[in-house]
C-alpha cells in the first residue's frame, strides 16, 4: 500500500528518527541529556516515504477517508527497522549526520525560545502594572494615543528627563549602556536580557507569539540618546530590536528619534540652541549682528546628562518646539538586507560597506 498518507507507520518512523538523532547526538557529545530533541523538532523540512506490503484482509484504516493506516502492530516494526538503518547511516556518514543534527537543533532552539516567550507572561504583568520595571517612571495618562515613552540613554539623563518631563503624558525608561544586539539573538536570550525585558514589559504588547498590538501602552515611543558615537550605537541597537522583533510599531508610525541640541550659545542673558553646525554658524552671525563686541559662549553638548531638567524639557521634550524624526520603512527588503549586513555575523560585507562609505561618513571626534 503506497498511497497511505499517515498513520502508525509514520508515527513509528518519527519515533525512530527522534531516538536515532538523540542517541547519535549524545554519542558524539553535541548536547546534554536535558537538551534532547522531541519528535516535533524533526518534522520541519522532513519528507519521508514508508512503503509497506500487507495482506489486503489485514489492513485497518482510520476514518472514513481511509487516509491513515491503523494497524498497531506496524508501528514497532517500522520503528525497529528505521532505527537500525539510521544508526548505521549516521555511523557511515558522519558529515551528513552532523548536518541533520544542526537542522534539528535549530528547530529545537526555536521551540524553546517560543516556550520561554509564552512562559514569561510579559503582557499580563505590564497591563496589571504590578510588575512594571522599577526604572520606569510611568505617566498618569492611560490613553495610549496620547501617551509617550522616552527610551533614554543612561541613568543620569534618565534622572534629568524624569524631572523635566510632563508627568501627565510622558513616561521615561532609562537604558543602561549598550543593549544586546538582537540581530543574532534568540528570543529566549532577549527576554533574559534585563534592559530589553524591562522595555518589553513597559510597552505592554508582549513579544513573539504573545504579541497583542492593541495592548501597546504608548503610541509615541521616542529614542533619546547622546549626540555622540556611543549614543548613535545604542540608537542603532534599539532600532534593530524594534525592526526585528516589534516591526508593527514602526509600520504604524509610533517610533521616533529625539533630536537634542548640539550647541548652547549664550550672549549675555540671551540663550539659543543649535541642532547642527549650520544652525550654529547662522546663530552666531545673528547674535553678532544684533550686538557688537559681545562675548558669545559656545557649549558643545556631548551627552544628555550635561543638561539640567529645564534645558532638556525646553530643547528636546517640549512638544511645542522639540524636533522628532519619525522612523519609517520605505523599502522593507532593502532595510532587511542592511540590518543583516551591519548587525549580523558576516564581517566582509560590513567591512566593504565601511570602506566604501568612509569618505562620506560623519564622524564625531
Amino acid at each position: 500500500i503506497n498511497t497511505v498518507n499517515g498513520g502508525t507507520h509514520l508515527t513509528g518512523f518519527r519515533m525512530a528518527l527522534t531516538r536515532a538523532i538523540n542517541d547519535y547526538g549524545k554519542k558524539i557529545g553535541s548536547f546534554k541529556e536535558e537538551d534532547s530533541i522531541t519528535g516535533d523538532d524533526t518534522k520541519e523540512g522532513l519528507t519521508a516515504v514508508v512503503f509497506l506490503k500487507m495482506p489486503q484482509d489485514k489492513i485497518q484504516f482510520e476514518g472514513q477517508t481511509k487516509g491513515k493506516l491503523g494497524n498497531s502492530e506496524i508501528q514497532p516494526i517500522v520503528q525497529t527497522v528505521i532505527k537500525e538503518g539510521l544508526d548505521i547511516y549516521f555511523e557511515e556518514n558522519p558529515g551528513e549526520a552532523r548536518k541533520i543534527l544542526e537542522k534539528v537543533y535549530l528547530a529545537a532552539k526555536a521551540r524553546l525560545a517560543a516556550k520561554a516567550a509564552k512562559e514569561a507572561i510579559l503582557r499580563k504583568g505590564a497591563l496589571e502594572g504590578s510588575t512594571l520595571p522599577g526604572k520606569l517612571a510611568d505617566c498618569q495618562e492611560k490613553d495610549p494615543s496620547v501617551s509617550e515613552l522616552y527610551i533614554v540613554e543612561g541613568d543620569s539623563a534618565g534622572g534629568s528627563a524624569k524631572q523635566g518631563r510632563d508627568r501627565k503624558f510622558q513616561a521615561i525608561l532609562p537604558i543602561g549602556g549598550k543593549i544586546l544586539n538582537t540581530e543574532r539573538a534568540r528570543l529566549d536570550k532577549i527576554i533574559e536580557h534585563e534592559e530589553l525585558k524591562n522595555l518589553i514589559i513597559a510597552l505592554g504588547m508582549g513579544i513573539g507569539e504573545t504579541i497583542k498590538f492593541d495592548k501597546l501602552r504608548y503610541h509615541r515611543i521616542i529614542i533619546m540618546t547622546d549626540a555622540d558615537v556611543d549614543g548613535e550605537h545604542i540608537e542603532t541597537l534599539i532600532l534593530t530590536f524594534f525592526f526585528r522583533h516589534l516591526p508593527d510599531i514602526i509600520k504604524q508610525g509610533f517610533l521616533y528619534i529625539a533630536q537634542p541640541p548640539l550647541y548652547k550659545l549664550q550672549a549675555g542673558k540671551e540663550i539659543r540652541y543649535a541642532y547642527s553646525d549650520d544652525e550654529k554658524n547662522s546663530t552666531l552671525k545673528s547674535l553678532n549682528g544684533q550686538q557688537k563686541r559681545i562675548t558669545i559662549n559656545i557649549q558643545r553638548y556631548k551627552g544628555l546628562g550635561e543638561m539640567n531638567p529645564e534645558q532638556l524639557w525646553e530643547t528636546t521634550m517640549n512638544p511645542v518646539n522639540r524636533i522628532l524624526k519619525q522612523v519609517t520603512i520605505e523599502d522593507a527588503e532593502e532595510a532587511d538586507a542592511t540590518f543583516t549586513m551591519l548587525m549580523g555575523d558576516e564581517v566582509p560585507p560590513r567591512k566593504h560597506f565601511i570602506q566604501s562609505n568612509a569618505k562620506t561618513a560623519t564622524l564625531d571626534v
Side-chain angles (χ1 to χ4, degrees):
I1 305 296
N2 59 359
T3 57
V4 179
N5 298 318
T8 55
H9 60 303
L10 287 186
T11 300
F13 178 89
R14 285 196 297 268
M15 292 177 66
L17 177 60
T18 303
R19 283 187 57 195
I21 292 175
N22 274 323
D23 290 349
Y24 188 75
K26 293 169 187 173
K27 180 178 180 179
I28 65 175
S30 62
F31 63 91
K32 301 176 183 178
E33 182 73 29
E34 60 268 21
D35 295 328
S36 297
I37 62 167
T38 67
D40 288 338
D41 299 330
T42 67
K43 290 169 62 177
E44 184 178 346
L46 174 66
T47 300
V49 177
V50 180
F51 183 83
L52 301 173
K53 281 188 176 182
M54 295 179 60
Q56 196 71 27
D57 59 343
K58 298 291 185 180
I59 298 175
Q60 299 175 8
F61 288 105
E62 294 180 3
Q64 295 296 322
T65 60
K66 297 184 178 180
K68 291 185 178 182
L69 184 67
N71 295 70
S72 58
E73 70 274 16
I74 294 299
Q75 179 174 319
I77 297 174
V78 172
Q79 185 173 345
T80 299
V81 173
I82 296 298
K83 176 64 165 60
E84 292 176 354
L86 285 173
D87 287 342
I88 296 172
Y89 180 82
F90 287 165
E91 290 293 337
E92 295 179 347
N93 301 273
E96 294 298 320
R98 287 184 178 274
K99 290 180 181 179
I100 294 173
L101 289 178
E102 289 173 2
K103 180 172 180 57
V104 174
Y105 292 165
L106 184 61
K109 288 179 180 179
R111 171 177 55 82
L112 293 172
K115 180 181 179 182
K118 288 182 178 180
E119 291 178 349
I121 321 176
L122 300 176
R123 185 182 62 83
K124 183 176 182 293
L127 292 179
E128 291 178 352
S130 59
T131 58
L132 286 174
K135 287 187 175 183
L136 174 69
D138 206 4
C139 57
Q140 299 168 354
E141 183 61 64
K142 300 303 179 184
D143 182 0
S145 64
V146 295
S147 299
E148 300 179 350
L149 174 65
Y150 275 85
I151 304 172
V152 184
E153 174 191 351
D155 292 333
S156 177
S160 296
K162 289 177 183 179
Q163 295 179 52
R165 66 179 173 138
D166 187 327
R167 297 172 181 268
K168 181 178 180 181
F169 67 96
Q170 291 179 326
I172 308 296
L173 179 65
I175 296 291
K178 295 177 182 178
I179 63 172
L180 180 71
N181 180 1
T182 55
E183 174 68 25
R184 48 181 179 261
R186 302 196 315 266
L187 193 57
D188 56 331
K189 297 298 181 183
I190 293 173
I191 294 173
E192 290 175 2
H193 188 79
E194 190 66 23
E195 302 293 342
L196 290 176
K197 180 180 179 181
N198 288 340
L199 176 57
I200 295 167
I201 295 175
L203 293 173
M205 62 180 286
I207 193 170
E209 294 184 4
T210 69
I211 284 182
K212 291 191 177 180
F213 190 77
D214 60 331
K215 301 301 181 182
L216 181 63
R217 302 176 68 241
Y218 312 93
H219 284 187
R220 187 174 281 112
I221 301 161
I222 304 166
I223 303 171
M224 187 164 68
T225 60
D226 292 344
D228 59 13
V229 174
D230 285 338
E232 291 175 353
H233 188 190
I234 294 171
E235 179 184 301
T236 302
L237 291 170
I238 297 173
L239 286 173
T240 302
F241 168 72
F242 278 104
F243 181 77
R244 287 302 184 200
H245 299 280
L246 299 175
D248 284 341
I249 288 179
I250 302 177
K251 294 175 182 177
Q252 294 297 322
F254 293 165
L255 188 62
Y256 298 82
I257 297 175
Q259 299 297 296
L262 295 179
Y263 301 97
K264 173 186 174 184
L265 297 89
Q266 184 168 359
K269 294 183 178 180
E270 185 175 0
I271 297 176
R272 296 191 188 181
Y273 297 95
Y275 294 82
S276 66
D277 288 327
D278 290 341
E279 188 175 354
K280 178 198 70 172
N281 294 332
S282 63
T283 302
L284 281 173
K285 290 181 181 180
S286 175
L287 291 173
N288 284 322
Q290 292 177 10
Q291 305 178 43
K292 296 181 179 180
R293 296 180 181 178
I294 188 170
T295 301
I296 301 175
N297 294 318
I298 303 175
Q299 178 182 356
R300 170 65 163 93
Y301 288 121
K302 296 295 289 183
L304 298 170
E306 296 180 10
M307 299 185 200
N308 60 42
E310 292 76 18
Q311 291 173 332
L312 194 56
W313 162 257
E314 187 61 31
T315 62
T316 316
M317 302 181 69
N318 186 348
V320 175
N321 53 9
R322 70 185 177 187
I323 299 176
L324 297 179
K325 287 185 178 179
Q326 188 178 43
V327 180
T328 59
I329 304 175
E330 295 182 0
D331 189 325
E333 187 173 332
E334 182 179 351
D336 182 274
T338 301
F339 272 100
T340 299
M341 174 185 62
L342 296 179
M343 306 300 289
D345 291 325
E346 296 295 326
V347 175
R350 182 161 54 250
K351 182 178 180 181
H352 175 72
F353 177 86
I354 293 173
Q355 291 174 337
S356 301
N357 294 274
K359 293 183 179 181
T360 58
T362 301
L363 299 179
D364 191 320
V365 294

